[in-house]
Amino acid sequence: MNFHVMTLFPEMIRNGLEESITGRAMNKNIISLNTVNIRDFSQDKHLHVDDYPYGGGAGMVMQPGPIYRAFESIKAQTGKEKLRLVYLTPQGSVFNQSMAKDFAKEEDLVFLCGHYEGVDERILEMIVTDYVSIGDYVLTGGELPAMVMIDAISRMVPGVLSNDVSAEFESFSDNLLEYPQYTRPEEFMGNKVPDVLLSGHHANIDKWRREQSLLRTRKWRPDLLEKAELTKKDIEFLDKNPIS
Ligand code: 6GU
């Protein structure tokens, strides 16, 4: 899968994604990251890419020309006339795991990172296919949201995660929070690892983990529990264990 990011801060995007799992996926050529500096497409002698808003008001607005030409360069590079293009904006639909899965089906995906007070509406109407936010708070620009999305989408691309992690994820992408994890030492500052995890009894361990997932989802994300597919056993367990 090829990610293309139109941004004024290409270094920020590259530095963030070259680490860890996304970095390894790039080295293995499972994903690629093409950062396009919008400023390279300025035709202004001072390389300006923004100007004052018509009608007045605070801040600056990104001009349509440089973004248009940056996108044309991506179309030429991919040889594709139609590309899915995500504009990162707090006004968009809130990103979630099912959107990550859906975007991961694309061979090429383009992101437009806005800055300043916004982007000229005309270029958005011309090229944007998806308006996406990452949550209800205001960030300085679209770079961090693009990185968040690329990380989450990459994990849904075949070969990026190990088969083990991938299979585990499948079984837990069911609207329940993860169970707690423990590693050595068996006792840390007087606190012991739950006995069941040391028992070697896999059925009991699975049961305990399922129950822990149910308890923490009910406690911390009751909104998720409503969407989760619960078995009769799950419901019985929750009924027998009132909220602590
Ligand atoms: Cl996508 N952009 C900005 N600037 N702020 C945000 C956001 C996006 N999502 C949440 N806050």
Side-chain angles (χ1 to χ4, degrees), residues 2 38 45 81 98 103 107 144 146 234:
N2 306 306
I38 295 167
K45 71 172 173 207
E81 195 52 40
S98 78
F103 283 122
E107 180 176 30
L144 288 168
D234 291 336

Side-chain angles (χ1 to χ4, degrees), residues 145-157:
M147 289 159 69
V148 165
M149 286 186 67
I150 292 168
D151 185 298
I153 295 165
S154 294
R155 297 168 62 82
M156 299 294 99
V157 173

Side-chain angles (χ1 to χ4, degrees), residues 87-91 114 132-143 145-146:
Y87 174 51
L88 288 316
T89 168
Q91 301 177 30
V132 183
S133 164
I134 62 164
D136 293 337
Y137 38 81
V138 178
L139 299 168
T140 307
E143 282 75 15

Side-chain angles (χ1 to χ4, degrees), residues 25-69:
M26 284 192 250
N27 289 332
K28 294 207 293 179
N29 291 320
I30 305 168
I31 63 169
S32 74
L33 178 62
N34 170 32
T35 50
V36 178
N37 191 339
I38 295 167
R39 200 173 300 282
D40 291 346
F41 295 87
S42 170
Q43 291 174 341
D44 182 282
K45 71 172 173 207
H46 296 109
L47 301 185
H48 286 155
V49 292
D50 61 330
D51 208 330
Y52 298 97
Y54 278 119
M60 302 290 271
V61 177
M62 287 173 73
Q63 296 172 289
I67 294 168
Y68 176 80
R69 292 185 291 276

Side-chain angles (χ1 to χ4, degrees), residues 6 61-65 67-68 71 85-89 91 111-115 117-131:
M6 298 191 280
V61 177
M62 287 173 73
Q63 296 172 289
I67 294 168
Y68 176 80
F71 185 49
L85 189 151
V86 175
Y87 174 51
L88 288 316
T89 168
Q91 301 177 30
F111 294 88
L112 171 59
C113 304
H115 252 268
E117 298 315 303
V119 173
D120 187 288
E121 190 69 17
R122 292 164 296 178
I123 189 65
L124 299 178
E125 288 173 0
M126 287 171 70
I127 67 176
V128 174
T129 59
D130 299 81
Y131 292 80

